[in-house]
Amino acid sequence: NAGVTQTPKFRVLKTGQSMTLLCAQDMNHEYMYWYRQDPGMGLRLIHYSVGEGTTAKGEVPDGYNVSRLKKQNFLLGLESAAPSQTSVYFCATDLGGPYEQYFGPGTRLTVT
Amino acid sequence: AQTVTQSQPEMSVQEAETVTLSCTYDTSENNYYLFWYKQPPSRQMILVIRQEAYKQQNATENRFSVNFQKAAKSFSLKISDSQLGDTAMYFCAQETSGSRLTFGEGTQLTVNP
C-alpha cells in the first residue's frame, strides 16, 4: 500500500500561473486535509474534507480551492499563484476524530 | 480560536542524554487530544505520542514521554537516551472540533554525537 501520495513533489510557478496539487490515499479514510508549512509558523490548515463531495475552509483558505470528487483523491488548486504561496504543502488523512493523521511526503512550491 | 505555542525554536542535546521540549496551548474545551509529531530531514511527518486530556496518566511510548499539566495547559515532551535519529523538527498539536489539528511553530532538535 502506498498510503498517502502527493503529486508533484516539486514545482516552480510564475506569478499568475495556475496549478493543481493531487493527493491520493489508499487507506479508505473519510477525512482529508491540506496544510501549508512555512518557517516559524508550523503547519496551517488550508482546506479539509470530511467525505466524498464535501469540502470546508480551514485557517488560511484564501487563494486556494479544493475538490473531493472521489473518496481517495483530494485536489488543491491555485488559480493565480502569488509569491506568498511559496511554501511546502502537505496532504493528510485520518478516520475522523482524535486519531493519528497520516501525511503525504509534501510538495515544495516556489512562486517567482 | 485554539492556539498552540512552542517557545523554543531550537534545542540541542548530547547523544544518550535527556531533553524536554515545551508546549503550551489555549482552549476552552474540557475534553481534547494533544499530539507530538516529528519531522526528520526527510520531511515526512510522523506521530510520536498522543495524550487524551481526560486521562490523568501521562502517555509514554518507549523513550518518549509527556508531562501533561491540564490546569496549566502545558504539554511537554521528554526524550530519554537521545539518539542521532531523533534529530528532527518536533511539532506540538491540539485536536480541535472536527478532528482538525492546530500546530505549534515547531522546535528544531539536534542530537550531537
Side-chain angles (χ1 to χ4, degrees):
Chain A
N1 291 345
V4 183
T5 59
Q6 292 183 230
T7 308
K9 290 186 170 49
F10 304 93
R11 186 73 185 270
V12 178
L13 287 180
K14 294 187 186 302
T15 297
Q17 288 185 322
S18 63
M19 78 164 293
T20 300
L21 282 68
L22 170 64
C23 176
Q25 54 112 350
D26 62 4
M27 306 177 80
N28 202 33
H29 286 167
E30 289 293 337
Y31 285 49
M32 297 186 75
Y33 310 85
W34 276 109
Y35 295 93
R36 59 177 290 172
Q37 181 180 11
D38 302 292
M41 302 187 76
L43 279 76
R44 293 179 292 167
L45 183 65
I46 305 171
H47 286 281
Y48 65 101
S49 168
V50 301
E52 181 179 319
T54 74
T55 62
K57 294 180 180 180
E59 180 186 355
V60 288
D62 293 343
Y64 305 95
N65 56 74
V66 288
S67 65
R68 182 101 182 265
L69 298 180
K70 294 182 179 180
K71 183 177 182 177
Q72 64 267 34
N73 295 337
F74 194 29
L75 279 66
L76 177 71
L78 287 73
E79 290 188 350
S80 179
S84 61
Q85 294 177 305
T86 293
S87 189
V88 179
Y89 292 85
F90 285 95
C91 174
T93 75
D94 68 19
L95 292 167
Y99 305 110
E100 176 180 2
Q101 286 191 6
Y102 295 84
F103 286 80
T107 295
R108 180 174 294 278
L109 174 66
T110 302
V111 183
T112 62
Chain B
Q2 318 276 359
T3 58
V4 177
T5 303
Q6 295 177 247
S7 59
Q8 305 152 315
E10 297 180 353
M11 292 192 71
S12 63
V13 64
Q14 292 299 123
E15 196 175 6
E17 293 187 346
T18 296
V19 63
T20 298
L21 309 183
S22 301
C23 172
T24 58
Y25 59 93
D26 186 19
T27 181
S28 57
E29 298 179 14
N30 191 48
N31 192 23
Y32 48 89
Y33 294 77
L34 296 162
F35 303 82
W36 279 98
Y37 278 85
K38 166 184 176 180
Q39 186 181 44
S42 67
R43 210 167 65 189
Q44 183 67 48
M45 292 284 287
I46 302 164
L47 178 66
V48 175
I49 200 164
R50 184 183 85 148
Q51 173 78 42
E52 300 170 65
Y54 66 85
K55 286 191 174 179
Q56 300 271 358
Q57 188 173 5
N58 290 324
T60 299
E61 289 286 344
N62 300 316
R63 297 183 295 108
F64 299 87
S65 61
V66 299
N67 183 4
F68 173 50
Q69 302 289 330
K70 190 172 184 178
K73 295 182 180 176
S74 171
F75 182 61
S76 60
L77 175 70
K78 186 171 84 170
I79 306 174
S80 303
D81 186 25
S82 297
Q83 300 176 0
L84 296 178
D86 295 334
T87 291
M89 181 74 81
Y90 287 81
F91 292 100
C92 177
Q94 180 190 2
E95 178 254 352
T96 60
S97 59
S99 79
R100 289 167 286 165
L101 292 179
T102 298
F103 286 87
E105 305 90 340
T107 297
Q108 175 63 49
L109 175 67
T110 302
V111 180
N112 298 308

